[in-house]
């Protein structure tokens, strides 16, 4: 297993739709193992393949939940069905998200409280489960990565403006920028 550098916003693979996984083979299993290793080293609750520079439709997660879903897993070629997203302002204390590809920053964002996730595991076996609360948030966040969206792309005007300013001040937004979990300082202070 190998820990990979995490790409930072501005890297092209983060901003385009990822390709469908076509082969459920040893190479995919190795990629999944590397993603778990990288996610763990970064103290993440999820990691999408584009975040390590691989433009394929899969993500790993590690999140305890009340939905009867194993707390650690991978979803390959997912589809997601969402409940309604409230039009209310996001709560800056209760609905704050961060992202390993926008290291160290966190902003409030409304998400659906329910999601149905369908896809496959790394062996090609079908998955079909429901996620609620924060687990649903994790599923939506990681799924967005596969469509070339970061959570900051979904922020309302107030928070989006702040995020763009932070990104500009950090010098991000261009290709070639990464951070290395386990080597570079943890941007979220874990």
């Amino acid at each position: 297993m190998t820990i990979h550098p995490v790409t930072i916003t501005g890297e092209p693979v983060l901003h385009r739709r990822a390709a469908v996984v076509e082969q459920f083979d040893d190479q995919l299993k190795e990629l999944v193992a590397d993603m778990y290793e990288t996610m763990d080293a970064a103290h993440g609750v999820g990691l999408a393949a584009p975040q390590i520079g691989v433009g394929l439709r899969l993500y790993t997660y590690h999140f305890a939940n009340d939905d009867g879903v194993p707390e650690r897993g991978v979803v390959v070629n997912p589809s997601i069905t969402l409940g309604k997203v409230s039009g209310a302002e996001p709560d800056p204390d209760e609905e704050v998200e961060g992202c390993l590809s926008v290291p160290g920053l966190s902003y409030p964002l409304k998400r659906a409280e329910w999601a149905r996730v369908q896809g496959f595991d790394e062996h090609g076996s079908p998955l079909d489960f429901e996620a609620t609360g924060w687990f649903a948030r994790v599923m939506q966040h990681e799924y967005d990565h596969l469509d070339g969206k970061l959570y900051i792309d979904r922020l309302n005007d107030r928070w989006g403006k702040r995020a763009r300013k932070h990104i500009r001040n950090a010098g991000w937004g261009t290709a070639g920028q990464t951070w290395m979990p386990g080597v570079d300082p943890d941007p979220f202070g874990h």
Side-chain angles (χ1 to χ4, degrees):
M1 293 182 288
T2 303
I3 296 173
H4 292 261
V6 175
T7 58
I8 295 176
T9 185
E11 186 63 35
V13 71
L14 289 172
H15 304 285
R16 66 175 174 250
R17 185 174 169 83
V20 171
V21 173
E22 307 230 354
Q23 300 289 324
F24 289 82
D25 55 13
D26 288 343
Q27 189 173 353
L28 177 65
K29 290 178 186 130
E30 184 177 328
L31 172 61
V32 170
D34 289 355
M35 288 174 64
Y36 280 132
E37 188 82 7
T38 303
M39 177 180 69
D40 293 346
H43 305 285
V45 298
L47 183 73
Q51 291 183 275
I52 60 167
V54 178
L56 291 174
R57 296 188 72 77
L58 73 146
Y59 61 81
T60 56
Y61 65 87
H62 189 165
F63 194 84
N65 62 82
D66 297 324
D67 300 308
V69 179
E71 71 178 48
R72 188 173 176 86
V74 60
V75 185
V76 181
N77 296 336
S79 65
I80 192 166
T81 305
L82 301 178
K84 184 175 168 62
V85 179
S86 166
E89 287 289 313
D91 185 320
D93 296 318
E94 301 293 326
E95 297 177 304
V96 175
E97 267 183 53
C99 179
L100 298 175
S101 290
V102 189
L105 302 181
S106 300
Y107 295 99
L109 176 64
K110 277 289 184 197
R111 293 274 193 185
E113 289 290 318
W114 174 89
R116 179 179 181 192
V117 178
Q118 295 172 292
F120 302 90
D121 67 14
E122 70 270 34
H123 307 289
S125 299
L127 298 171
D128 188 344
F129 61 86
E130 294 183 9
T132 60
W134 271 92
F135 186 44
R137 179 179 292 270
V138 171
M139 295 298 105
Q140 292 166 76
H141 180 111
E142 298 310 326
Y143 183 84
D144 275 354
H145 278 297
L146 307 183
D147 283 343
K149 290 187 183 343
L150 301 179
Y151 86 103
I152 55 174
D153 298 326
R154 293 193 178 276
L155 298 175
N156 67 22
D157 290 342
R158 173 184 176 198
W159 298 108
K161 184 176 181 180
R162 289 183 187 187
R164 288 187 298 277
K165 183 177 179 182
H166 278 120
I167 289 165
R168 187 174 50 253
N169 289 344
W172 301 332
T174 60
Q177 297 184 46
T178 63
W179 68 278
M180 189 65 180
V183 175
D184 293 328
D186 184 325
F188 292 98
H190 294 109

